[in-house]
Amino acid sequence: MDIVVKGRKTEVPERFRKHVAEKLKLDKIQKLDGKVISLDVEVSKEPNPRQADRCDRVEITLRSRGPVIRAEAAASDPYAALDLAAEKLDARLRRQHDKRHTRRGVRRLTAAEVADHVPGAATLNGSGSAFEADEPDSVPTKKIGSLEVQGDGPLVVREKTHVAAPMTLDQALYEMELVGHDFYLFVDSETKDPSVVYRRHAYDYGVIHLSTDTMVTQTPSPDAGGPLGG
C-alpha cells in the first residue's frame, strides 16, 4: 500500500511528499489497523490573507474494511498542519484499535454465572427448572433513571446525557462513520434542532429532524386522533 499525496489548487513539493512518508509510518498504521486499503493525503491552501495562521490545510483519509477514518488540521504552513493531522489520525486509530480488542475480550457468561452477574436473574434448581421464590403480595415500585418500574422491570436501564456542539450534516455523517455506528444523534447547526442521521441500505443515508410544535404538546382528548389526525 502506498500513500497518495495530492494538492487541491496548490502544488505539492517533493520535499513535502518525503516528509509525509516519514511522518505517516505505514508499518505503525498497519499494526493498529491490519485491514487498511488506502491512505490519501490532500493539501489545500486558503488564499484569504485574514486566515494566514490557518492558510494551509491537510486532510488525511484512511480507508479500510471498517469505517473511513479522517483527520484534518490547518496551520500557518503545511508541515505543521500535517503534524497536527497525523496526531489526530493516530489517536483515532488507537481508539478504534482499543474498541476492537475490548469487544473481543468480552466473553459470554455460563448459566451458572448469570445469577452472580445479572441482578434479578432466575436461579435454576437441581432439575434444571427455574426456582420460584415466594413473591410478596404487593408489587413494589422503584425508580430507575427517569422511569418508574413495577416489579423487576428491565434488567438494565442506562441513561446518558452528552454535551455536544452543534454541527453540520456532513460533520455528523463523518462522526457516525468514525465511531462505526448505524446512527448518530446531533444538534443541527443551521436549524438548532435535535437530529439523527442514520445508515440506510447500501451506502445511502437518512436524516430525521425534530422540531417543537405547541399544538402537539397539548394533551389530546380521548376522542381526538394522533398528531397526523384521523
Side-chain angles (χ1 to χ4, degrees):
M1 182 192 70
D2 297 325
I3 302 176
V4 178
V5 183
K6 56 185 177 181
R8 185 173 61 185
K9 298 181 180 180
T10 185
E11 294 292 331
V12 181
E14 188 62 29
R15 179 189 170 198
F16 182 80
R17 295 179 185 273
K18 292 181 179 179
H19 184 68
V20 170
E22 294 173 357
K23 191 68 178 178
L24 302 177
K25 300 292 185 181
L26 290 179
D27 55 345
K28 181 181 178 181
I29 292 175
Q30 289 176 332
K31 284 183 180 179
L32 295 174
D33 189 343
K35 300 179 180 180
V36 177
I37 299 174
S38 65
L39 185 62
D40 299 332
V41 178
E42 184 178 87
V43 185
S44 59
K45 195 170 187 67
E46 172 59 54
N48 189 347
R50 295 182 179 179
Q51 299 185 11
D53 58 335
R54 299 172 57 85
C55 60
D56 290 285
R57 177 174 295 275
V58 173
E59 180 178 334
I60 306 173
T61 304
L62 185 147
R63 293 180 174 84
S64 67
R65 296 180 186 177
V68 176
I69 298 179
R70 290 189 179 89
E72 60 178 332
S76 57
D77 66 82
Y79 296 91
L82 175 65
D83 292 346
L84 294 173
E87 291 178 3
K88 292 181 180 179
L89 179 70
D90 182 72
R92 290 169 181 172
L93 276 172
R94 292 184 182 278
R95 192 184 311 159
Q96 288 289 94
H97 179 267
D98 294 342
K99 185 184 296 185
R100 286 194 299 269
H101 278 260
T102 301
R103 289 175 179 173
R104 291 174 185 172
V106 176
R107 66 180 183 88
R108 294 184 176 181
L109 298 176
T110 64
E113 296 174 318
V114 170
D116 296 330
H117 291 79
V118 182
T123 304
L124 300 181
N125 57 24
S127 62
S129 58
F131 176 79
E132 298 181 359
D134 294 334
E135 296 183 1
D137 296 334
S138 60
V139 179
T141 301
K142 56 185 176 181
K143 193 173 184 64
I144 302 179
S146 60
L147 302 176
E148 286 190 359
V149 181
Q150 289 187 337
D152 292 335
L155 293 178
V156 179
V157 174
R158 295 170 57 183
E159 183 175 354
K160 290 186 177 181
T161 300
H162 294 276
V163 178
M167 63 178 65
T168 63
L169 177 59
D170 288 341
Q171 289 174 312
L173 286 171
Y174 166 67
E175 293 293 335
M176 183 182 73
E177 291 290 353
L178 178 62
V179 298
H181 290 171
D182 291 330
F183 69 95
Y184 191 83
L185 177 65
F186 69 103
V187 177
D188 194 300
S189 58
E190 294 183 2
T191 64
K192 301 299 185 290
D193 292 331
S195 307
V196 174
V197 64
Y198 61 96
R199 193 190 313 277
R200 304 182 73 230
H201 299 293
Y203 295 99
D204 293 336
Y205 300 99
V207 60
I208 300 174
H209 300 286
L210 297 180
S211 60
T212 303
D213 189 335
T214 56
M215 296 299 295
V216 175
T217 56
Q218 293 179 0
T219 303
S221 62
D223 298 331
L228 298 179

